[in-house]
Amino acid sequence: MGAIIRGLGICVPENILTNAELERMVETSDEWITTRTGIKERHILPKDSGLHASDLGAAAALSALEKAGIKPEQVGAIIAGSVVPDKQFPATACFIQEKIGAKNAFAFDITAACAGFVYGVNLASLLIDSGQCDNVLVIGAEVLSRVVDWTDRNTCILFGDAGAAALISKGPKDRGVIRSLLRSDGGQAGILYLDNILSDKATMRMDGKQVFKLAVSEVSKVVKDTLALENLLPKDVDLLVMHQANIRILTAIAEKLDLPEEKVMINVNRYGNTSSASIPLALYEAERDGRLKPGMLVALAAVGGGMSWGCNLVRW
Ligand code: UT7
């Protein structure tokens, strides 16, 4: 059987933070942010909303299930990625399970930061291929605004909050996840990390230039390597949906793969970097906008803290 992406759902907070507002918070400019990152605005979940990552994840999951016509009780597993989990434990996936009423599922989180979704898709496809599950939710649920240092212009302009989910289900053999390839290099842990997650001192730290370089070289390589395992080439890809971190990273990778603009999904301008939620959020918009058609070869690729990166090839 194939492991197909049967439904996508998103939950994005209403509150928008524009570059103009950031100009009033730190020494920056709309011009700098736009030219260096491509970001114009990001959505923020207010702290006083009383809502957490699992609330965004649960709403996104329910919407993915509704699209797929699958009931919460039919879900066999829930895999969530979050760099800002509700609690250290239990898993955010367990909170989501309770909120959506998926009482027959087992639920766990993965810690692969912005690469969480591609790691989750790999695991979900294995659970389905093995026959253990028929329906698996893979969810990115992120409230990065709670761990951003709002006085650090190097990082605070980059991130946004969102929840996004994909329901991966047993389907026809000629569709779905064809192949995944995951990589990690713990030797690079120091270039992107978050300490003291549940304290008021929790702030993300990043060596932007090093992350940028690693992202461009390793993501383009892992996409090529994954394709090569299937005797495919970058030109065979119909749509490349990457983790949305910085438009310059996305265009540099597309250039390395020699892919034209129309084959690359970009929505970082409206959401900023939403970590593990960014790929399902971009997929959701690509599908909504008619950019995903049955039979297309779609490559998903991401890199995040760890450093961790990877690619999933999906026949849509
Ligand atoms: O999911 C993965 C997470 N992280 C990433 O993907 C981030 C990857 N890295 C990046 O996206 C880029 O490295 C950044 C956007 C973070 C920075 O862009 P850059 O082109 O590498 O800029 P830079 O760090 O070399 O800084 C250039 C200048 C510096 O000033 P000086 O030293 O040349 O005087 C910075 O202090 O720009 C300054 N700068 C800013 N100026 C205005 C840094 N941040 C800002 C800012 N506004 N927000």
Side-chain angles (χ1 to χ4, degrees), residues 137-148:
L137 276 167
V138 182
I139 304 166
E142 303 284 12
V143 277
L144 292 142
S145 61
R146 302 208 178 148
V147 293
V148 159

Side-chain angles (χ1 to χ4, degrees), residues 18-23 27-42 157:
T18 63
N19 290 350
E21 286 165 287
L22 277 165
E23 283 177 355
E27 200 184 327
T28 190
S29 64
D30 173 45
E31 200 264 334
W32 192 96
I33 301 172
T34 306
T35 53
R36 298 293 181 116
T37 73
I39 301 166
K40 294 301 267 183
E41 57 187 37
R42 63 292 286 146
I157 53 134

Side-chain angles (χ1 to χ4, degrees), residues 39-300:
I39 301 166
K40 294 301 267 183
E41 57 187 37
R42 63 292 286 146
H43 293 246
I44 305 289
L45 186 67
K47 251 189 180 161
D48 60 10
S49 64
L51 299 174
H52 300 283
S54 67
D55 295 293
L56 297 181
L62 283 174
S63 134
L65 287 171
E66 197 187 328
K67 280 245 179 64
I70 293 288
K71 294 192 184 70
E73 306 84 61
Q74 293 173 268
V75 175
I78 301 174
I79 305 173
S82 184
V83 294
V84 191
D86 293 22
K87 294 192 190 299
Q88 193 78 49
F89 75 88
T92 298
C94 289
F95 290 116
I96 294 173
Q97 175 196 21
E98 173 60 15
K99 284 175 182 164
I100 68 174
K103 50 179 184 288
N104 297 313
F106 63 93
F108 63 98
D109 289 356
I110 38 178
T111 305
C114 305
F117 188 75
V118 290
Y119 273 54
V121 167
N122 188 172
L123 293 179
S125 71
L126 294 174
L127 286 170
I128 288 166
D129 288 346
S130 71
Q132 190 174 351
C133 296
D134 289 350
N135 297 296
V136 181
L137 276 167
V138 182
I139 304 166
E142 303 284 12
V143 277
L144 292 142
S145 61
R146 302 208 178 148
V147 293
V148 159
D149 179 350
W150 289 104
T151 64
D152 176 14
R153 69 177 183 172
N154 291 292
T155 50
C156 76
I157 53 134
L158 297 171
F159 299 98
D161 301 337
L167 178 74
I168 306 197
S169 298
K170 194 164 77 171
K173 204 176 170 29
D174 57 345
R175 288 182 53 207
V177 181
I178 300 168
R179 163 84 72 168
S180 298
L181 185 59
L182 305 181
R183 296 270 180 246
S184 304
D185 179 1
Q188 301 290 338
I191 65 173
L192 181 57
Y193 62 93
L194 175 59
D195 270 335
N196 307 315
I197 170 71
L198 297 173
S199 83
D200 288 342
K201 293 192 197 96
T203 41
M204 194 180 318
R205 297 294 169 210
M206 178 180 79
D207 181 336
K209 275 202 186 317
Q210 291 309 318
V211 175
F212 194 113
K213 274 194 219 159
L214 187 142
V216 174
S217 65
E218 296 301 344
V219 172
S220 51
K221 182 172 181 321
V222 80
V223 172
K224 274 187 197 155
D225 290 351
T226 319
L227 287 162
L229 290 169
E230 292 293 322
N231 294 317
L232 293 164
L233 292 167
K235 69 173 173 51
D236 297 316
V237 171
D238 296 302
L239 192 67
L240 175 62
V241 183
M242 288 179 278
H243 165 51
Q244 307 282 307
N246 180 327
I247 201 160
R248 288 161 53 221
I249 296 179
L250 302 182
T251 50
I253 294 168
E255 262 171 43
K256 274 184 170 272
L257 296 173
D258 206 12
L259 283 177
E261 222 174 85
E262 63 273 15
K263 284 192 171 187
V264 182
M265 180 62 200
I266 291 177
N267 66 358
V268 68
N269 51 320
R270 284 176 289 111
Y271 299 106
N273 178 342
T274 59
S275 189
S276 64
S278 83
I279 291 181
L281 178 54
L283 271 176
Y284 175 92
E285 294 201 335
E287 185 170 62
R288 182 199 63 194
D289 299 344
R291 293 183 68 178
L292 284 168
K293 306 221 165 45
M296 275 186 159
L297 180 66
V298 181
L300 314 179

